[in-house]
Amino acid sequence: MLKRTLTMFTLLCAALAPSLVFSATVANASAPAVAPLAAAASPKCSGTLSHGKIRYQVCFRWNCDSTKCNVLGYLGLINTATTARTVKWQLDYSIDGGAYIHDSAGSVRLAAGEQRTIYPDAGRQTRLCVRNEENLQVDYDGTGWSIAAITSEFVGCL
């Protein structure tokens, strides 16, 4: 059953990949607001890992023009338990092997057997030809943080 569920999750992600688009406004206190980002296609995902009854996977997609890339990290969760679970998650990223930077975090209640893909509101712009790395950890019902699911890829290299 789990293998079938994971296979269906993978096929669904592959089928939706070309059509998924996100939009966010990037701003911070030291820089003016940047126009909304858009990233589509080019998904890269880690393998699926297990933390108790929770299966998890981290992915990112990117879209580049001639000067920059827009990158969005996202995650997939599956509750394989027969009861509901509250799952906390933390998503971080690194550029060109640098220190991890906090991307987003949250908490979600998953029903028994439920699977969910979570697209955080944040996105980021990078220069061309950088190595993007995403790092996801999960905790359910206070059991402690999992080992990290990690995926990386060079983006925007011509």
Side-chain angles (χ1 to χ4, degrees):
M1 178 69 178
L2 176 60
K3 184 176 180 180
R4 182 174 178 222
T5 301
L6 291 175
T7 301
M8 289 174 55
F9 179 71
T10 302
L11 292 174
L12 178 63
C13 287
L16 294 176
S19 64
L20 294 173
V21 175
F22 78 96
S23 177
T25 300
V26 176
N28 64 43
S30 63
V34 177
L37 302 177
S42 308
K44 173 71 176 177
C45 295
S46 69
T48 302
L49 284 84
S50 298
H51 182 56
K53 298 292 185 178
I54 304 299
R55 306 286 184 261
Y56 59 104
Q57 180 179 49
V58 64
C59 301
F60 68 94
R61 34 182 105 258
W62 67 95
N63 187 15
C64 302
D65 62 21
S66 62
T67 62
K68 66 188 175 312
C69 293
N70 299 318
V71 181
L72 172 70
Y74 61 99
L75 57 133
L77 299 172
I78 302 173
N79 177 11
T80 64
T82 56
T83 58
R85 298 280 193 256
T86 298
V87 181
K88 291 191 294 186
W89 52 271
Q90 180 170 316
L91 186 61
D92 301 313
Y93 70 93
S94 170
I95 300 294
D96 285 337
Y100 279 109
I101 300 166
H102 179 70
D103 185 343
S104 56
S107 180
V108 63
R109 183 95 173 143
L110 297 176
E114 182 180 359
Q115 61 185 14
R116 189 172 304 177
T117 302
I118 299 171
Y119 297 91
D121 293 333
R124 63 190 166 279
Q125 289 185 342
T126 68
R127 65 186 188 282
L128 295 175
C129 207
V130 298
R131 185 173 148 265
N132 185 75
E133 183 171 293
E134 300 287 331
N135 176 316
L136 170 67
Q137 288 183 292
V138 299
D139 171 28
Y140 74 94
D141 295 339
T143 59
W145 290 100
S146 67
I147 62 169
I150 299 172
T151 189
S152 65
E153 183 73 62
F154 283 94
V155 299
C157 298
L158 304 175

